Amino acid sequence: AQRVTQPEKLLSVFKGAPVELKCNYSYSGSPELFWYVQYSRQRLQLLLRHISRESIKGFTADLNKGETSFHLKKPFAQEEDSAMYYCAPEGNNDMRFGAGTRLTVKP
Amino acid sequence: ETGVTQTPRHLVMGMTNKKSLKCEQHLGHNAMYWYKQSAKKPLELMFVYSLEERVENNSVPSRFSPECPNSSHLFLHLHTLQPEDSALYLCASSRGLAGGLESGELFFGEGSRLTVL
């Protein structure tokens, strides 16, 4: 069955500390992988996608096909990074979302 | 208006009512989606439409009935709902169908907050 797991519901770090949001997936085939973010009182929006291999707002995500993981990382967290983050593998005809991780960056 | 627009933003209905949620996208996209976001559950994919044809129905109860009259509009018709159906219903669109060559990212609306009494 298609499954995506974000093991941490809540993650809290201090400003300037590194942050890693974990995502593991179980999908048939080779899904395209995305991270979406929802800031307070804003709509859900794309943060980055694996195929672009870009760094967005200082975030990167590495695909590890052997471990079927797509963890999101940022070396120095900022307060404005506080938000809900969703990992989303894109399969055939659908895009399923993980349960999400709420990141809080404390001053 | 640009992007994905959902109306109404808030809806309160009784279990015997019939209501509809509307979604409109002005992005020229060919695929549209309904998701359900409950407080204690992950985002649940409900329906997927591509070029006005339904391509995915994730075991959604028949009291939810989608309609896609054209590629810019998507409706979710609601009938005899249950209190556990109270949730935020999100509409999204993408250039092409997820998993396809032209899929692209999903663009979301702000959602319709539904309360079933």
Side-chain angles (χ1 to χ4, degrees):
Chain A
Q2 320 280 46
R3 193 165 57 244
V4 53
T5 305
Q6 292 180 248
E8 303 132 332
K9 285 189 176 179
L10 302 170
L11 185 61
S12 182
V13 301
F14 284 101
K15 177 182 172 181
V19 63
E20 182 179 66
L21 293 89
K22 292 184 169 57
C23 172
N24 291 89
Y25 63 93
S26 174
Y27 250 73
S28 57
S30 298
E32 177 59 32
L33 288 140
F34 298 76
W35 276 96
Y36 281 78
V37 62
Q38 189 166 26
Y39 301 102
S40 178
R41 288 187 289 276
Q42 293 188 30
R43 65 184 70 194
L44 194 56
Q45 60 187 288
L46 177 70
L47 177 63
L48 58 79
R49 60 186 301 183
H50 169 251
I51 198 170
S52 301
R53 301 189 190 278
E54 294 174 311
S55 172
I56 306 294
K57 298 186 179 183
F59 284 97
T60 58
D62 294 323
L63 174 61
N64 185 322
K65 289 189 176 181
E67 295 180 358
T68 58
S69 67
F70 189 54
H71 302 328
L72 183 69
K73 300 177 184 180
K74 184 169 181 176
F76 307 103
Q78 303 299 314
E79 289 179 67
E80 55 265 29
D81 295 328
S82 296
M84 195 75 179
Y85 291 81
Y86 296 92
C87 179
E90 180 187 76
N92 290 326
N93 297 341
D94 68 38
M95 181 176 287
R96 296 178 188 270
F97 288 77
T101 297
R102 181 168 297 283
L103 173 66
T104 301
V105 181
K106 295 180 284 189
Chain B
E1 181 66 60
T2 58
V4 180
T5 304
Q6 290 186 243
T7 54
R9 294 291 309 281
H10 300 273
L11 178 63
V12 179
M13 60 186 289
M15 288 192 284
T16 58
N17 292 157
K18 285 185 183 180
K19 297 285 184 183
S20 296
L21 306 181
K22 179 182 176 182
C23 176
E24 190 171 357
Q25 57 96 1
H26 302 275
L27 300 167
H29 288 169
N30 291 322
M32 296 186 78
Y33 311 78
W34 278 117
Y35 285 87
K36 177 183 178 183
Q37 188 174 36
S38 307
K40 297 182 179 180
K41 285 188 178 181
L43 271 168
E44 299 172 63
L45 180 64
M46 299 176 72
F47 300 105
V48 181
Y49 275 82
S50 175
L51 296 171
E52 300 134 52
E53 286 195 19
R54 190 190 312 181
V55 296
E56 188 85 10
N57 176 349
N58 283 292
S59 303
V60 179
S62 59
R63 56 186 185 267
F64 294 93
S65 174
E67 180 190 2
C68 188
N70 56 63
S71 59
S72 298
H73 293 85
L74 184 65
F75 294 89
L76 188 62
H77 302 301
L78 315 170
H79 178 46
T80 57
L81 294 192
Q82 305 298 311
E84 61 263 29
D85 296 322
S86 298
L88 183 68
Y89 289 84
L90 293 173
C91 174
S93 70
S94 61
R95 187 172 61 242
L97 190 59
L101 293 176
E102 299 291 327
S103 58
E105 69 183 269
L106 262 60
F107 289 79
F108 283 87
E110 293 181 291
S112 293
R113 172 77 58 191
L114 173 67
T115 302
V116 182
L117 301 176

Coordinates of all heavy atoms in Angstrom, one line a residue, chain A residues 50-96:
Chain A
H50 N 11.8 17.3 -5.4 CA 13.1 16.7 -5.5 C 13.7 16.9 -6.9 O 14.9 17.2 -7.1 CB 12.9 15.2 -5.3 CG 14.1 14.4 -5.7 ND1 14.2 13.6 -6.8 CD2 15.4 14.3 -5.2 CE1 15.4 13.1 -7.0 NE2 16.1 13.5 -6.0
I51 N 12.8 16.9 -7.9 CA 13.3 16.9 -9.3 C 14.0 18.3 -9.6 O 14.9 18.3 -10.4 CB 12.2 16.7 -10.3 CG1 12.7 16.3 -11.7 CG2 11.2 17.9 -10.4 CD1 11.7 15.7 -12.6
S52 N 13.7 19.3 -8.9 CA 14.3 20.6 -9.1 C 15.6 20.7 -8.5 O 16.4 21.6 -8.9 CB 13.4 21.7 -8.5 OG 12.1 21.7 -9.1
R53 N 15.9 19.9 -7.4 CA 17.2 20.0 -6.7 C 17.6 21.4 -6.3 O 18.7 21.7 -6.4 CB 18.2 19.3 -7.6 CG 17.9 17.9 -8.0 CD 19.1 17.2 -8.6 NE 18.6 15.9 -9.2 CZ 18.5 14.8 -8.5 NH1 18.8 14.8 -7.2 NH2 18.1 13.7 -9.0
E54 N 16.6 22.2 -5.9 CA 16.9 23.5 -5.5 C 16.9 23.6 -4.0 O 16.4 22.8 -3.3 CB 15.8 24.5 -6.0 CG 15.7 24.6 -7.5 CD 14.5 25.4 -7.9 OE1 13.4 25.2 -7.5 OE2 14.7 26.4 -8.8
S55 N 17.5 24.7 -3.5 CA 17.4 25.1 -2.1 C 16.4 26.3 -2.0 O 16.6 27.3 -2.7 CB 18.8 25.5 -1.6 OG 18.6 26.0 -0.3
I56 N 15.3 26.1 -1.3 CA 14.3 27.1 -1.2 C 14.3 27.6 0.3 O 14.2 26.7 1.2 CB 12.9 26.5 -1.6 CG1 13.0 25.9 -3.0 CG2 11.9 27.6 -1.5 CD1 13.2 26.9 -4.1
K57 N 14.4 28.8 0.5 CA 14.5 29.4 1.8 C 15.5 28.7 2.7 O 15.3 28.6 3.9 CB 13.1 29.4 2.5 CG 12.0 30.1 1.7 CD 10.7 30.2 2.4 CE 9.7 31.0 1.6 NZ 8.4 31.1 2.3
G58 N 16.5 28.3 2.1 CA 17.6 27.6 2.9 C 17.4 26.1 3.1 O 18.2 25.4 3.7
F59 N 16.2 25.6 2.7 CA 15.9 24.2 2.9 C 16.4 23.4 1.7 O 16.3 23.8 0.6 CB 14.4 24.0 3.0 CG 13.8 24.4 4.3 CD1 13.2 25.6 4.5 CD2 13.8 23.5 5.4 CE1 12.7 26.0 5.7 CE2 13.3 23.9 6.6 CZ 12.7 25.1 6.8
T60 N 16.8 22.2 2.0 CA 17.1 21.2 1.0 C 16.5 19.9 1.4 O 16.2 19.7 2.6 CB 18.6 21.0 0.8 OG1 19.2 20.6 2.0 CG2 19.3 22.3 0.3
A61 N 16.4 19.0 0.5 CA 15.8 17.6 0.8 C 16.6 16.6 -0.1 O 16.7 16.8 -1.3 CB 14.3 17.6 0.5
D62 N 17.1 15.6 0.6 CA 17.8 14.6 -0.1 C 17.0 13.3 -0.2 O 16.5 12.8 0.8 CB 19.1 14.2 0.7 CG 20.1 15.4 0.7 OD1 20.1 16.1 -0.3 OD2 20.7 15.7 1.7
L63 N 16.9 12.8 -1.4 CA 16.2 11.6 -1.6 C 17.2 10.4 -1.5 O 18.3 10.4 -2.1 CB 15.7 11.5 -3.1 CG 15.0 10.2 -3.5 CD1 13.8 9.9 -2.7 CD2 14.6 10.3 -5.0
N64 N 16.8 9.5 -0.6 CA 17.6 8.3 -0.4 C 16.7 7.1 -0.8 O 15.8 6.7 0.0 CB 18.0 8.1 1.1 CG 18.9 7.0 1.3 OD1 18.8 5.9 0.7 ND2 19.9 7.1 2.2
K65 N 16.9 6.6 -2.0 CA 16.1 5.6 -2.5 C 16.2 4.3 -1.8 O 15.3 3.5 -1.6 CB 16.3 5.3 -4.0 CG 15.8 6.5 -4.9 CD 15.9 6.1 -6.4 CE 15.3 7.2 -7.2 NZ 15.4 6.9 -8.6
G66 N 17.5 4.0 -1.3 CA 17.7 2.8 -0.5 C 16.9 2.8 0.8 O 16.3 1.7 1.1
E67 N 16.8 3.9 1.5 CA 16.1 4.0 2.7 C 14.6 4.5 2.5 O 13.9 4.6 3.4 CB 16.8 4.9 3.7 CG 18.1 4.4 4.1 CD 18.8 5.4 5.1 OE1 18.3 6.5 5.4 OE2 19.9 5.1 5.5
T68 N 14.3 4.8 1.2 CA 13.0 5.4 0.9 C 12.7 6.5 1.8 O 11.7 6.6 2.5 CB 11.9 4.4 0.8 OG1 11.7 3.7 2.1 CG2 12.1 3.3 -0.2
S69 N 13.7 7.5 1.9 CA 13.5 8.6 2.7 C 13.7 9.9 1.9 O 14.4 9.9 0.9 CB 14.4 8.6 3.9 OG 15.8 8.8 3.5
F70 N 13.1 11.0 2.4 CA 13.2 12.3 1.7 C 13.1 13.3 2.8 O 12.2 14.1 3.0 CB 12.0 12.5 0.7 CG 12.1 13.7 -0.2 CD1 13.3 13.9 -0.9 CD2 11.1 14.6 -0.3 CE1 13.4 15.0 -1.8 CE2 11.2 15.7 -1.1 CZ 12.3 15.9 -1.8
H71 N 14.2 13.4 3.6 CA 14.2 14.3 4.8 C 14.5 15.7 4.4 O 15.3 16.0 3.5 CB 15.3 13.8 5.8 CG 15.1 12.4 6.3 ND1 13.9 11.8 6.4 CD2 16.0 11.5 6.6 CE1 14.0 10.6 6.8 NE2 15.3 10.3 7.0
L72 N 13.9 16.6 5.1 CA 14.0 18.1 4.8 C 15.0 18.7 5.8 O 14.8 18.4 7.0 CB 12.6 18.8 4.9 CG 12.6 20.2 4.6 CD1 12.8 20.5 3.1 CD2 11.2 20.8 5.0
K73 N 15.9 19.5 5.3 CA 17.0 20.0 6.2 C 17.2 21.4 6.0 O 17.0 22.0 4.9 CB 18.3 19.2 6.0 CG 18.2 17.7 6.2 CD 19.6 17.1 5.9 CE 19.5 15.6 6.0 NZ 20.8 14.9 5.7
K74 N 17.6 22.1 7.1 CA 18.1 23.5 7.0 C 19.1 23.7 8.1 O 18.9 23.3 9.2 CB 16.9 24.5 7.3 CG 17.3 25.9 7.1 CD 16.1 26.8 7.0 CE 16.5 28.3 6.8 NZ 15.4 29.2 6.7
P75 N 20.3 24.2 7.7 CA 21.4 24.3 8.7 C 21.2 25.3 9.8 O 21.6 25.1 10.9 CB 22.6 24.7 7.8 CG 22.0 25.3 6.6 CD 20.7 24.6 6.4
F76 N 20.4 26.4 9.5 CA 20.2 27.4 10.5 C 18.8 27.9 10.5 O 18.4 28.7 9.6 CB 21.2 28.6 10.3 CG 22.6 28.2 10.1 CD1 23.2 28.2 8.9 CD2 23.4 27.9 11.2 CE1 24.5 27.9 8.7 CE2 24.7 27.6 11.1 CZ 25.3 27.5 9.8
A77 N 18.0 27.4 11.4 CA 16.5 27.7 11.4 C 16.3 29.1 11.8 O 17.0 29.7 12.6 CB 15.8 26.7 12.4
Q78 N 15.2 29.7 11.2 CA 14.8 31.0 11.5 C 13.4 31.0 12.1 O 12.6 30.1 11.8 CB 14.8 31.9 10.2 CG 16.2 32.0 9.5 CD 17.3 32.6 10.4 OE1 17.0 33.6 11.1 NE2 18.4 31.9 10.5
E79 N 13.0 32.1 12.8 CA 11.7 32.1 13.4 C 10.6 32.0 12.4 O 9.6 31.4 12.6 CB 11.5 33.3 14.3 CG 12.4 33.3 15.6 CD 12.2 34.6 16.4 OE1 11.1 34.8 16.9 OE2 13.2 35.4 16.5
E80 N 10.8 32.6 11.2 CA 9.8 32.6 10.2 C 9.6 31.2 9.5 O 8.7 31.0 8.7 CB 10.1 33.6 9.1 CG 11.5 33.5 8.5 CD 12.5 34.4 9.1 OE1 12.4 34.7 10.4 OE2 13.5 34.8 8.4
D81 N 10.5 30.3 9.9 CA 10.3 28.9 9.4 C 9.2 28.1 10.2 O 8.9 27.0 9.8 CB 11.6 28.1 9.5 CG 12.7 28.7 8.6 OD1 12.4 29.2 7.5 OD2 13.9 28.6 9.0
S82 N 8.8 28.7 11.3 CA 7.7 28.0 12.1 C 6.5 27.8 11.2 O 5.9 28.8 10.7 CB 7.4 28.9 13.3 OG 8.5 29.0 14.2
A83 N 6.1 26.6 11.1 CA 5.0 26.3 10.2 C 4.7 24.8 10.3 O 5.4 24.0 11.0 CB 5.3 26.6 8.7
M84 N 3.7 24.3 9.5 CA 3.4 22.9 9.4 C 4.0 22.5 8.0 O 3.8 23.1 7.0 CB 1.9 22.8 9.3 CG 1.4 21.4 9.6 SD 1.5 20.9 11.3 CE 0.9 19.2 11.2
Y85 N 4.7 21.3 8.1 CA 5.4 20.8 6.9 C 4.9 19.4 6.6 O 4.7 18.6 7.4 CB 6.9 20.7 7.2 CG 7.6 22.1 7.3 CD1 7.5 22.8 8.5 CD2 8.2 22.7 6.2 CE1 8.1 24.1 8.6 CE2 8.8 23.9 6.3 CZ 8.8 24.6 7.5 OH 9.3 25.9 7.6
Y86 N 4.6 19.3 5.3 CA 4.0 18.0 4.8 C 4.9 17.4 3.7 O 5.3 18.1 2.7 CB 2.6 18.2 4.2 CG 1.6 18.7 5.2 CD1 1.3 20.0 5.4 CD2 0.9 17.7 5.9 CE1 0.4 20.4 6.2 CE2 -0.1 18.2 6.8 CZ -0.4 19.5 7.0 OH -1.3 19.9 7.9
C87 N 5.2 16.2 3.9 CA 5.9 15.4 2.8 C 4.9 14.8 1.9 O 3.9 14.3 2.4 CB 6.8 14.3 3.5 SG 7.7 13.3 2.3
A88 N 5.1 14.8 0.6 CA 4.1 14.3 -0.3 C 4.7 13.6 -1.5 O 5.2 14.3 -2.4 CB 3.2 15.5 -0.8
P89 N 4.6 12.3 -1.5 CA 5.0 11.6 -2.7 C 3.9 11.7 -3.8 O 2.7 11.6 -3.4 CB 5.2 10.1 -2.2 CG 5.0 10.2 -0.8 CD 4.3 11.4 -0.4
E90 N 4.3 11.8 -5.0 CA 3.3 11.9 -6.1 C 3.3 10.6 -6.8 O 4.3 10.2 -7.4 CB 3.6 13.0 -7.0 CG 2.7 13.2 -8.2 CD 3.2 14.3 -9.1 OE1 4.1 14.0 -9.9 OE2 2.6 15.4 -9.1
G91 N 2.2 9.9 -6.8 CA 2.1 8.6 -7.5 C 1.2 8.7 -8.7 O 1.0 9.8 -9.2
N92 N 0.7 7.6 -9.2 CA -0.2 7.6 -10.3 C -1.5 8.1 -10.0 O -2.2 7.6 -9.1 CB -0.3 6.2 -10.9 CG 1.0 5.7 -11.5 OD1 1.7 6.5 -12.1 ND2 1.2 4.4 -11.4
N93 N -1.9 9.2 -10.6 CA -3.2 9.8 -10.4 C -3.4 10.4 -9.0 O -4.6 10.8 -8.7 CB -4.3 8.8 -10.6 CG -4.4 8.3 -12.1 OD1 -3.8 9.0 -13.0 ND2 -5.0 7.2 -12.3
D94 N -2.4 10.5 -8.1 CA -2.7 11.1 -6.9 C -1.5 11.7 -6.2 O -0.4 11.4 -6.7 CB -3.4 10.1 -5.9 CG -2.5 9.0 -5.5 OD1 -1.3 9.2 -5.2 OD2 -3.0 7.8 -5.3
M95 N -1.7 12.5 -5.3 CA -0.6 13.0 -4.4 C -1.1 12.8 -3.0 O -2.1 13.4 -2.6 CB -0.2 14.4 -4.7 CG 0.9 14.9 -3.9 SD 1.5 16.6 -4.3 CE 2.3 16.3 -5.8
R96 N -0.4 12.0 -2.2 CA -0.8 11.7 -0.8 C 0.2 12.5 0.1 O 1.4 12.6 -0.2 CB -0.8 10.2 -0.5 CG -1.8 9.5 -1.4 CD -1.8 8.0 -1.2 NE -2.7 7.4 -2.2 CZ -3.9 7.2 -2.0 NH1 -4.5 7.5 -0.8 NH2 -4.7 6.6 -2.9

